[in-house]
Amino acid sequence: MASSSKHPAVINGLRILWVILVFWYELGIFNASVRGCRWPDSYLRLKHDAQDGSLKPAHILLVADPQIIDRHSYPSRGPLLYGLTRFLVDLNLRKNWRVALQKQPDAIVFLGDMMDNGRYAMPEEEYEEYYQRFSSIFSGAGDTPMYFIPGNHDTGFVLAAAICPTWSDSAYSLGISSQFSSEARSRYSAHFGAPNRAISIANHTLVLFDAPNYADEDSLRHGKKKSFENWTPVQGGALEFMKEFANEQHTDPVILFSHIPLHRQDGKGCGLLREKGSIRPGVGFGYQNMLEKKSSQRLLESFKPTAVFSGDDHDYCEYNHELLLPRGPPSMIREVTVKTLSMVMNVRKPGFQLLSLTPADLRRDTKHTYFDTPCNLPDQLGNYLDSYLPLLALSLLLVFVMNIHDETLPYNLKSKAEPVYDVENASPSSSGSSPGWFILQGQRRQLHSGHTSSLDWAERMKERLSSLSSAQTSAVLRRQSWLWASLHDVWRIAVFPICTFALITWWVLSH
């Protein structure tokens, strides 16, 4: 059997190459991908005399659609494949979250869809375990405050019916299903906080808005054929929150956070940073791609935001909305749809958003109080398909060719002596009598020369058959030899990157 020790340089070279590759693609590339992504403070118009270090812009980290998966996410996958998928996706989320936290934000806002199936009907123990998994992945923020807004995967579109169960016209809702829990919204509130609220950071009012509930209630209103003015908002719902906010006085700039993007014309571009396509209108069971046109306009009129940040679409998008004012030219309001943080949401490169807010004492004017920038993360799926698989194929090919070459080297055939038969014992011997003699009826007799020739022919045929059988056996043994040698070499190489991956995984899980 060929030994891998015959090619130590090749074996060790592949070991080193694989270890370097695993270190880079499982750890190094994450830090490198966001090293050049910094808080956009330099773009803010700050007072020069106020930059003494006591005041600085507030830094808000925006995270969209992590959607941690569970058993409902891939129902067609078996336990083994689902377990592997869940492990890799969770591990990737931990790495993405880890490098995002390295930016040391002052606050963090999640733009909805924290869980892929948070709206599903499930036992309380299962939901609690699901939530604890989310908390485990997105840990390590310390005292940094974290805020959440609900997405359709968190609460679904059965919110109005859940708030007001006496209604019988919930058929107009966008997501009534026995699969969805009627307790989804209350369950969300108990774990993530109030779905609608306004907070103040750096003299800015951050509005955390429950867009799925707003869209659902608007659908119910249409179903009842009532105008917006004659509609009584559901108590505790998004529409009631919006009307109350509009009736209050707000002097600070408003930043609106909505899981569902606002309406725009079909086919409108999203800028150069988007991977593909655009956000297009669409409504289906349990989802709505964008808010309705009039609903979006009322939202802008009520909150009058300086900027809007949304999620749900998973890809990056920039769009300027036009808000018509009673007097003067229309106001342009910029909306940014933030990339998903997950590797399995149909984008090659996940991402997050950095938002800098200028406190009032640092502002040079009131027009440029914020600035934001996107940060892209590694293409994990691309790493698997474009780097790991080609190197795996090349490594296997090299090992197999190397061992096949060793087993097909020419043999030094050894000369074989002609067999000599001992007529006394009827067996081969090096000192036997003439092959023309044999034992018959207890007496020694000599064969005729013709009979001797026949015996020689039979012996030669026997030798040839034996030689052929031996050659076939030798070929099988050689084939088994290079195959086992190759598998042995593959294992000797693979154990190093496997241990490296295990070490990196342990480090990520423990930090």
Side-chain angles (χ1 to χ4, degrees), residues 257-270:
F257 298 95
S258 166
H259 175 70
I260 304 176
L262 276 60
H263 183 271
R264 72 282 313 273
Q265 292 182 0
D266 189 12
K268 286 292 184 179
C270 286

Side-chain angles (χ1 to χ4, degrees), residues 396-450:
L396 292 175
L397 179 63
L398 183 60
V399 169
F400 286 154
V401 169
M402 181 176 66
N403 283 283
I404 291 174
H405 177 266
D406 288 346
E407 291 296 340
T408 55
L409 290 176
Y411 284 92
N412 293 323
L413 299 178
K414 297 180 180 180
S415 59
K416 297 182 179 180
E418 288 291 332
V420 179
Y421 287 82
D422 186 341
V423 295
E424 293 290 338
N425 300 309
S427 61
S429 173
S430 59
S431 60
S433 304
S434 171
W437 294 92
F438 73 105
I439 302 299
L440 181 61
Q441 295 180 353
Q443 299 179 2
R444 178 178 295 181
R445 298 188 180 183
Q446 188 174 16
L447 293 174
H448 190 271
S449 59

Side-chain angles (χ1 to χ4, degrees), residues 233-480:
V234 176
Q235 186 177 2
L239 184 55
E240 181 185 63
F241 171 79
M242 184 182 75
K243 286 190 172 184
E244 290 176 353
F245 187 93
N247 292 330
E248 299 171 353
Q249 294 294 326
H250 301 278
T251 57
D252 291 336
V254 174
I255 307 290
L256 175 63
F257 298 95
S258 166
H259 175 70
I260 304 176
L262 276 60
H263 183 271
R264 72 282 313 273
Q265 292 182 0
D266 189 12
K268 286 292 184 179
C270 286
L272 299 177
L273 299 180
R274 187 176 177 86
E275 291 189 13
K276 57 184 177 181
S278 60
I279 301 178
R280 308 194 64 178
V283 178
F285 181 70
Y287 76 92
Q288 183 170 321
N289 290 345
M290 63 177 71
L291 295 175
E292 297 292 337
K293 183 176 181 179
K294 290 185 178 180
S295 300
S296 299
Q297 190 68 20
R298 280 194 292 267
L299 201 64
L300 296 176
E301 291 172 354
S302 300
F303 291 112
K304 295 181 175 58
T306 302
V308 180
F309 292 93
S310 58
D312 187 63
D313 182 67
H314 302 161
D315 204 351
Y316 186 85
C317 185
E318 286 189 37
Y319 185 80
N320 289 319
H321 298 280
E322 187 177 79
L323 175 61
L324 300 177
L325 301 175
R327 289 179 295 179
S331 174
M332 303 305 295
I333 300 174
R334 177 171 170 266
E335 178 183 353
V336 173
T337 302
V338 180
K339 265 194 168 186
T340 176
L341 194 73
S342 174
M343 62 176 280
V344 289
M345 294 297 138
N346 297 319
V347 292
R348 296 303 296 266
K349 291 186 176 183
F352 54 86
Q353 200 83 3
L354 301 180
L355 172 64
S356 293
L357 303 177
T358 309
D361 292 341
L362 279 179
R363 295 173 192 165
R364 187 185 301 179
D365 56 52
T366 58
K367 291 184 178 180
H368 304 87
T369 65
Y370 83 96
F371 211 91
D372 63 278
T373 187
C375 299
N376 285 334
L377 293 159
D379 177 7
Q380 186 72 75
L381 186 60
N383 294 340
Y384 292 150
L385 299 178
D386 301 334
S387 298
Y388 285 161
L389 283 183
L391 183 58
L392 176 62
L394 181 62
S395 300
L396 292 175
L397 179 63
L398 183 60
V399 169
F400 286 154
V401 169
M402 181 176 66
N403 283 283
I404 291 174
H405 177 266
D406 288 346
E407 291 296 340
T408 55
L409 290 176
Y411 284 92
N412 293 323
L413 299 178
K414 297 180 180 180
S415 59
K416 297 182 179 180
E418 288 291 332
V420 179
Y421 287 82
D422 186 341
V423 295
E424 293 290 338
N425 300 309
S427 61
S429 173
S430 59
S431 60
S433 304
S434 171
W437 294 92
F438 73 105
I439 302 299
L440 181 61
Q441 295 180 353
Q443 299 179 2
R444 178 178 295 181
R445 298 188 180 183
Q446 188 174 16
L447 293 174
H448 190 271
S449 59
H451 294 154
T452 303
S453 176
S454 299
L455 182 60
D456 290 344
W457 177 84
E459 291 297 332
R460 285 196 298 270
M461 287 298 297
K462 182 179 179 181
E463 289 180 12
R464 289 178 182 178
L465 290 174
S466 176
S467 176
L468 179 61
S469 176
S470 177
Q472 292 175 341
T473 303
S474 178
V476 172
L477 291 176
R478 286 199 301 271
R479 186 160 56 247
Q480 293 176 346

Side-chain angles (χ1 to χ4, degrees), residues 33-179:
S33 64
V34 298
R35 186 174 293 122
C37 191
R38 298 180 175 87
W39 295 101
D41 296 354
S42 59
Y43 295 95
L44 296 171
R45 295 186 178 182
L46 307 178
K47 291 181 179 179
H48 295 290
D49 57 353
Q51 299 184 47
D52 58 356
S54 59
L55 283 176
K56 61 179 182 178
H59 296 153
I60 315 298
L61 171 65
L62 305 183
V63 177
D65 305 278
Q67 282 187 231
I68 61 170
I69 64 174
D70 74 338
R71 60 186 178 88
H72 301 97
S73 302
Y74 302 101
S76 61
R77 298 188 180 184
L80 183 61
L81 184 57
Y82 161 69
L84 178 62
T85 303
R86 171 177 152 172
F87 171 76
L88 292 177
V89 173
D90 284 5
L91 182 63
N92 179 259
L93 281 173
R94 289 179 184 273
K95 294 174 184 177
N96 292 343
W97 175 245
R98 174 182 162 274
V99 296
L101 284 184
Q102 289 178 0
K103 300 302 177 181
Q104 299 180 339
D106 299 312
I108 303 167
V109 176
F110 282 80
L111 297 173
D113 280 359
M114 279 68 73
M115 300 175 174
D116 192 33
N117 293 292
R119 61 188 173 181
Y120 266 67
M122 63 181 72
E124 188 64 32
E125 296 78 11
E126 183 178 354
Y127 184 86
E128 190 64 32
E129 181 182 352
Y130 200 5
Y131 172 76
Q132 291 303 326
R133 232 181 86 219
F134 172 86
S135 300
S136 174
I137 293 172
F138 294 99
S139 60
D143 297 331
T144 305
M146 298 171 64
Y147 304 99
F148 306 89
I149 59 174
N152 55 301
H153 284 265
D154 298 312
T155 56
F157 281 99
V158 295
L159 312 182
I163 294 172
C164 192
T166 59
W167 285 7
S168 59
D169 296 324
S170 58
Y172 296 108
S173 177
L174 296 172
I176 293 292
S177 170
S178 60
Q179 293 181 321

